[in-house]
């Protein structure tokens, strides 16, 4: 787990101050080591940095000001092969191919054995070297072989190309920007903004989807000309012609081609989950499991114990989370494993409120408890944390999915919206409900962001006329059943939202989150199952519950689903400091003339619903985002 960055200047050599500043901006992602590589397209050289280990500094000179067309930067969080042999950028033996890699490849030992039978020899125990030699052997077709989470950059001076690749479901972020001057890429947008070719500019289309979905829909970001490389994709640039090519190396299958029985399905998932947990427990540093008290995370913990006797678990406790903490403790006691509990007070949230919000590179509609979780894990000495994230998307865990059949029936009556002319709040809600014409609309409604009419009303006319509110480009296959919802959940709820937040939260404190539910085989198997086995429209996660029955107490299985997030509405309602914080930022926001001040005032003065606070918080986080990335550079 690390941070990567780099650039390719199309026309001239540029100063290495660019790569040094880009790398420094993501120092939090890899405090253990850093490295650089620069090239004019034919000759190249490695450099160490101020934060490199002493051995690396002896091997490579510390980067001063150099000029080059291509530059790579790397920050290391040592997880596998803690020695300097795992240092990056890593070069091939002939020094013509170089790689920087962020993530973990869980099947790297299997790939290594395969390569060894083909005659390859290895100098390290790292998965990075396995990826490098996999590329030498198989080229870009090696991406389909990788099981794990990754953002990879390969510069191939033999083939004269640069290749960027991202894992199947986007567990590791990779952003890029391209213009007439060059191509720039990095693990976080913060680094891209440090390059001399990039100037921050608001992408209002990205802000619009962010307000509707609680996240910006990939490949857009909230910055103009900065994009997210889509999951399961690779992008290459020809160093001779400077042409850019994109292709998908994997896509989620919606084909249900299995005739397996439910009992066999449960056994198969149990086996695949055990295999995934076993592989993801592999690390050369301490590993813990993060438990929220629900089925997803407690099952991961229970499945970990047979493979790692000394597994620890920890839980974040905050207001109204008493039942979750109680259930997490019950599982820990049943498994006889150490259980650490961190109580997050309102004061702690307030102390880091602005900093944590601004760490995210777009507006956000909540308070992210995972930053507290990552900090606590680091303080306990755990660099690797197993997470239950992904189970909700894979196994139909969100309560909104249970409304699917009702919506599929009621959408036949959507014509009634044309007869609703009253403007009271109830009428607006009814009209919004009967405006969900597509599965895309139904999914959007589940994200509890602003409604389209609300978003349109809050933007000033001058801003909204620059927004393309037709979101047809984001529509997927639109099957009229659970498979259609599943596809949106996996692409936009998981890839664009949850794992993106996870990564930023964890890496802020140099911690790696891993996701046993999101192994290649488990995703492929579950997505191939008939709907009748994995979705019943009555109970969330029916299939996973059957697996969990063997491992978890009944209290866990009966607990109603709750999100792992801070109770924002209560915080806003009862904390004067928070209300003052909101009012100060709304006052500043209104002066910018991006949004209609009277709508902001109306929303703030009418907090009648637990979801009314979401719209306000989105505006507050927009203001903080704007301050951070447009005023305080």
């Amino acid at each position: 787990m690390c941070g990567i960055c780099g650039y390719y200047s199309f026309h001239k050599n540029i100063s290495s101050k660019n790569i040094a500043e880009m790398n420094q901006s993501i120092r939090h992602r890899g405090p253990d080591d850093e490295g650089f590589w620069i090239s004019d397209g034919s000759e190249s050289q490695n450099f160490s940095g101020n934060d490199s280990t002493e051995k690396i500094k002896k091997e490579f000179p510390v980067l001063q000001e150099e000029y080059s067309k291509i530059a790579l930067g790397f920050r290391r969080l040592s997880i596998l092969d803690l020695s300097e042999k795992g240092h990056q950028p890593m070069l091939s033996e002939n020094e013509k191919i170089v790689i920087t890699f962020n993530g973990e490849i869980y099947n790297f030992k299997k790939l290594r054995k395969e390569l060894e039978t083909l005659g390859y020899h290895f100098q390290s125990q790292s998965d990075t070297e396995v990826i490098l030699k996999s590329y030498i052997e198989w080229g870009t077709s090696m991406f389909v072989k990788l099981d794990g989470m990754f953002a990879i950059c390969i510069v191939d001076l033999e083939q004269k190309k640069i290749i960027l690749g991202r894992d199947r479901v986007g567990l590791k972020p990779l952003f890029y920007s391209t213009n007439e001057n060059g191509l720039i890429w990095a693990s976080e947008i913060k680094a891209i903004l440090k390059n001399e070719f990039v100037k921050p500019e608001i992408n209002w289309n990205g802000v619009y989807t962010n307000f509707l979905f609680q996240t910006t829909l990939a490949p857009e970001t909230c910055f103009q000309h900065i994009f997210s490389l889509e999951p399961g994709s690779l992008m290459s640039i020809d160093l001779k012609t400077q042409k850019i090519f994109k292709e998908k190396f994997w896509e989620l299958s919606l084909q249900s081609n299995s005739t397996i029985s439910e009992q066999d399905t449960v056994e198969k998932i149990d086996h695949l989950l055990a295999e995934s947990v076993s592989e993801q427990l592999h690390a050369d540093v301490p590993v813990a499991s993060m438990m929220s008290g629900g089925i997803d995370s407690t099952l991961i913990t229970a499945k970990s114990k047979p493979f790692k006797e000394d597994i620890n678990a920890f839980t974040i406790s905050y207001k109204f989370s008493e039942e979750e903490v109680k259930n997490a403790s019950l599982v820990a006691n049943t498994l006889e494993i150490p259980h650490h509990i961190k109580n997050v007070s309102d004061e702690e949230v307030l102390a880091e409120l602005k900093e944590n919000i601004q760490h995210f590179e777009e507006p956000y509609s909540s308070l992210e408890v995972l930053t507290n979780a990552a900090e606590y894990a680091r303080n306990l000495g755990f660099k690797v944390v197993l997470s239950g994230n992904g189970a909700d998307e894979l196994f139909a865990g969100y309560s909104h999915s249970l409304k699917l059949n009702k919506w599929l029936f009621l959408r036949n009556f959507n014509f009634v919206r044309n007869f609703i002319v009253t403007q009271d709040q109830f009428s607006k809600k009814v009209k919004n409900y009967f405006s969900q014409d597509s599965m895309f609309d139904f999914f959007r409604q589940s994200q509890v962001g602003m409604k389209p009419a609300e978003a349109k009303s809050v933007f000033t006319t001058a801003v909204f006329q620059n927004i393309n509110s037709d979101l047809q480009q984001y529509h997927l296959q639109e099957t009229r059943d659970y498979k259609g919802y599943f596809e949106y959940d996996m692409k936009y709820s998981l890839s664009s939202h949850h794992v993106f937040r996870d990564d930023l939260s964890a890496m802020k404190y140099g911690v790696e989150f891993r996701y046993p539910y999101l192994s290649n085989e488990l995703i492929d198997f579950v997505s191939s199952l008939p709907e009748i086995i994995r979705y019943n429209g009555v109970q969330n996660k029916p299939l996973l519950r059957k697996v969990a029955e063997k491992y978890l107490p009944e209290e866990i299985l009966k607990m109603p689903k709750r999100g792992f997030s801070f109770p924002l509405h209560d915080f806003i309602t009862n904390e004067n400091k928070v209300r003052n914080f909101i009012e100060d930022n709304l006052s500043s926001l209104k002066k910018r003339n991006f949004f209609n001040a009277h709508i902001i005032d109306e929303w703030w003065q009418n907090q009648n619903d637990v979801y009314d606070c979401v719209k306000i918080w989105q505006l507050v986080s927009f203001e903080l985002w704007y301050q951070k990335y447009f005023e305080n550079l």
Side-chain angles (χ1 to χ4, degrees):
M1 180 71 75
C2 310
I4 66 175
C5 57
Y7 56 79
Y8 168 41
S9 175
F10 292 166
H11 309 298
K12 63 178 182 177
N13 292 342
I14 63 174
S15 171
S16 59
K17 287 181 179 179
N18 284 279
I19 198 66
E21 290 183 5
M22 290 172 70
N23 218 38
Q24 182 62 25
S25 72
I26 53 172
R27 184 181 186 277
H28 51 275
R29 298 187 69 88
D32 297 331
D33 187 22
E34 72 172 328
F36 300 96
W37 176 89
I38 65 172
S39 174
D40 62 3
S42 56
E43 299 299 318
S44 60
Q45 186 175 358
N46 272 63
F47 291 91
S48 61
N50 293 328
D51 290 335
S52 297
T53 66
E54 290 306 313
K55 285 187 178 180
I56 294 298
K57 286 180 179 178
K58 289 179 181 177
E59 186 173 354
F60 305 114
V62 174
L63 180 66
Q64 304 301 323
E65 186 165 21
E66 304 281 343
Y67 284 82
S68 68
K69 280 194 172 183
I70 306 173
L72 302 180
F74 175 75
R75 302 293 321 200
R76 185 181 186 191
L77 180 67
S78 303
I79 301 293
L80 293 175
D81 191 346
L82 308 185
S83 74
E84 278 73 17
K85 290 181 179 180
H87 175 79
Q88 297 182 44
M90 185 177 287
L91 276 67
S92 61
E93 291 178 8
N94 66 2
E95 299 189 354
K96 291 296 184 180
I97 302 174
V98 59
I99 183 174
T100 52
F101 155 61
N102 167 34
E104 301 289 349
I105 305 302
Y106 304 122
N107 65 336
F108 82 98
K109 289 185 176 181
K110 296 176 183 176
L111 292 173
R112 177 174 172 144
K113 287 182 179 179
E114 187 176 350
L115 289 164
E116 285 173 336
T117 63
L118 294 171
Y120 287 87
H121 300 281
F122 291 83
Q123 304 299 315
S124 74
Q125 300 300 314
S126 72
D127 49 358
T128 308
E129 188 179 4
V130 172
I131 301 171
L132 178 59
K133 290 180 176 173
S134 293
Y135 173 76
I136 293 171
E137 176 64 26
W138 297 301
T140 56
S141 62
M142 65 101 178
F143 281 102
V144 299
K145 294 175 173 286
L146 303 179
D147 188 357
M149 50 185 183
F150 58 82
I152 297 172
C153 171
I154 295 172
V155 180
D156 187 336
L157 296 180
E158 291 180 325
Q159 300 292 325
K160 297 296 181 184
K161 60 184 177 181
I162 298 173
I163 300 157
L164 302 176
R166 191 176 177 207
D167 67 71
R168 286 180 169 205
V169 292
L171 295 171
K172 290 293 101 189
L174 187 55
F175 299 96
Y176 69 93
S177 178
T178 184
N179 54 38
E180 68 277 7
N181 297 309
L183 172 68
I184 306 97
W185 62 90
S187 296
E188 295 184 20
I189 293 173
K190 301 173 187 66
I192 292 177
L193 294 174
K194 294 295 183 181
N195 190 279
E196 67 180 67
F197 292 151
V198 180
K199 297 294 181 283
E201 183 181 351
I202 298 175
N203 174 22
W204 288 111
N205 287 328
V207 174
Y208 179 70
T209 64
N210 180 281
F211 283 175
L212 297 186
F213 291 87
Q214 297 193 38
T215 190
T216 310
L217 301 186
E220 297 279 334
T221 72
C222 288
F223 295 89
Q224 196 74 262
H225 310 304
I226 298 180
F227 301 93
S228 173
L229 183 63
E230 292 200 71
S233 297
L234 60 89
M235 180 171 75
S236 61
I237 181 165
D238 189 310
L239 299 181
K240 293 175 288 187
T241 65
Q242 296 170 357
K243 289 185 178 180
I244 293 176
F245 305 90
K246 297 178 187 175
E247 62 179 281
K248 297 282 287 185
F249 65 83
W250 179 84
E251 291 194 68
L252 181 69
S253 173
L254 298 185
Q255 296 299 316
S256 299
N257 50 23
S258 175
T259 57
I260 193 171
S261 69
E262 185 180 88
Q263 181 178 344
D264 288 344
T265 298
V266 171
E267 291 177 0
K268 178 72 171 179
I269 290 173
D270 195 2
H271 168 74
L272 290 176
L273 186 57
E275 192 174 68
S276 180
V277 167
S278 174
E279 287 185 335
Q280 297 195 28
L281 282 169
H282 179 68
D284 295 327
V285 295
V287 180
S289 179
M290 178 172 60
M291 291 201 297
S292 65
I295 294 173
D296 309 342
S297 57
T298 52
L299 179 57
I300 293 297
T301 308
K303 299 286 287 181
S304 299
K305 181 68 184 292
F307 301 107
K308 189 173 180 60
E309 186 66 27
D310 63 346
I311 188 74
N312 278 236
F314 70 91
T315 300
I316 301 299
S317 173
Y318 50 90
K319 192 182 294 184
F320 306 128
S321 69
E322 294 83 3
E323 187 177 358
E324 285 89 342
V325 175
K326 177 183 175 182
N327 286 343
S329 298
L330 173 63
V331 171
N333 290 334
T334 303
L335 297 173
E336 298 181 341
I337 62 173
H339 184 215
H340 313 272
I341 301 173
K342 165 64 176 175
N343 293 299
V344 179
S345 66
D346 291 355
E347 289 72 23
E348 286 180 271
V349 175
L350 279 170
E352 301 174 351
L353 187 58
K354 184 174 182 178
E355 177 190 342
N356 283 339
I357 292 172
Q358 290 184 328
H359 181 66
F360 296 119
E361 297 164 336
E362 62 182 30
Y364 192 32
S365 60
S366 184
L367 293 173
E368 191 51 82
V369 180
L370 287 173
T371 53
N372 303 98
E375 183 180 24
Y376 185 53
R378 183 198 65 180
N379 293 342
L380 289 173
F382 297 108
K383 270 189 173 182
V384 174
V385 173
L386 298 191
S387 167
N389 212 337
D392 281 324
E393 288 83 3
L394 198 58
F395 293 101
Y398 293 116
S399 57
H400 194 77
S401 68
L402 303 182
K403 303 174 183 177
L404 177 59
N405 291 332
K406 178 182 178 182
W407 169 74
L408 286 170
F409 171 72
L410 290 177
R411 70 193 293 273
N412 296 312
F413 303 95
N414 278 2
F415 62 87
V416 302
R417 67 181 181 232
N418 300 315
F419 302 100
I420 300 174
V421 294
T422 51
Q423 293 295 313
D424 60 277
Q425 289 302 312
F426 177 75
S427 297
K428 288 179 180 179
K429 286 183 178 180
V430 173
K431 188 168 185 175
N432 174 73
Y433 185 87
F434 285 106
S435 297
Q436 298 173 61
D437 294 320
S438 64
M439 187 68 73
F440 178 80
D441 296 328
F442 177 76
F443 172 77
R444 186 265 308 161
Q445 182 78 359
S446 73
Q447 301 307 292
V448 200
M450 293 184 195
K451 299 175 178 62
E454 291 172 331
K456 182 178 181 180
S457 71
V458 79
F459 286 106
T460 62
T461 302
V463 170
F464 194 77
Q465 68 184 7
N466 294 314
I467 293 174
N468 179 11
S469 58
D470 180 3
L471 303 181
Q472 192 69 35
Q473 61 178 311
Y474 298 108
H475 285 221
L476 303 177
Q477 295 183 51
E478 286 290 326
T479 65
R480 296 186 180 184
D481 51 19
Y482 168 70
K483 287 183 295 184
Y485 183 81
F486 171 69
E487 186 181 20
Y488 280 111
D489 236 2
M490 290 293 288
K491 181 165 186 178
Y492 294 137
S493 176
L494 182 68
S495 298
S496 285
H497 185 180
H498 290 299
V499 293
F500 168 60
R501 303 290 180 193
D502 270 25
D503 179 84
L504 282 173
S505 298
M507 294 308 292
K508 184 176 189 287
Y509 293 101
V511 173
E512 173 178 295
F513 284 175
R514 295 182 177 180
Y515 311 94
Y517 287 112
L518 297 174
S519 71
N520 287 2
E521 284 195 82
L522 199 50
I523 291 174
D524 288 345
F525 177 70
V526 173
S527 61
S528 73
L529 295 172
E531 178 175 321
I532 193 171
I533 288 184
R534 59 189 178 122
Y535 174 79
N536 59 25
V538 177
Q539 183 185 47
N540 68 328
K541 285 182 286 219
L543 197 51
L544 192 63
R545 288 176 184 276
K546 289 183 170 61
V547 176
E549 286 173 358
K550 295 169 57 178
Y551 302 97
L552 300 179
E554 192 174 350
E555 294 92 327
I556 309 296
L557 300 172
K558 287 184 175 180
M559 190 180 82
K561 176 173 176 55
R562 281 192 59 187
F564 188 49
S565 59
F566 199 84
L568 178 63
H569 181 260
D570 178 80
F571 204 46
I572 291 176
T573 304
N574 298 311
E575 283 285 350
N576 287 331
K577 287 183 180 179
V578 177
R579 296 183 68 83
N580 292 336
F581 177 82
I582 289 173
E583 288 172 353
D584 288 345
N585 281 288
L586 290 182
S587 177
S588 176
L589 179 64
K590 285 187 286 188
K591 295 174 184 176
R592 301 192 188 282
N593 297 319
F594 297 146
F595 304 102
N596 290 314
H598 70 281
I599 296 294
I600 295 175
D601 290 339
E602 179 184 323
W603 287 0
W604 179 230
Q605 292 162 12
N606 293 282
Q607 294 284 298
N608 302 317
D609 187 280
V610 292
Y611 295 118
D612 286 339
C613 66
V614 172
K615 296 179 293 187
I616 287 296
W617 200 249
Q618 287 178 305
L619 294 173
V620 169
S621 61
F622 175 93
E623 169 63 20
L624 295 173
W625 170 75
Y626 187 86
Q627 291 175 16
K628 170 76 173 181
Y629 297 102
F630 294 87
E631 291 186 336
N632 299 328
L633 292 177

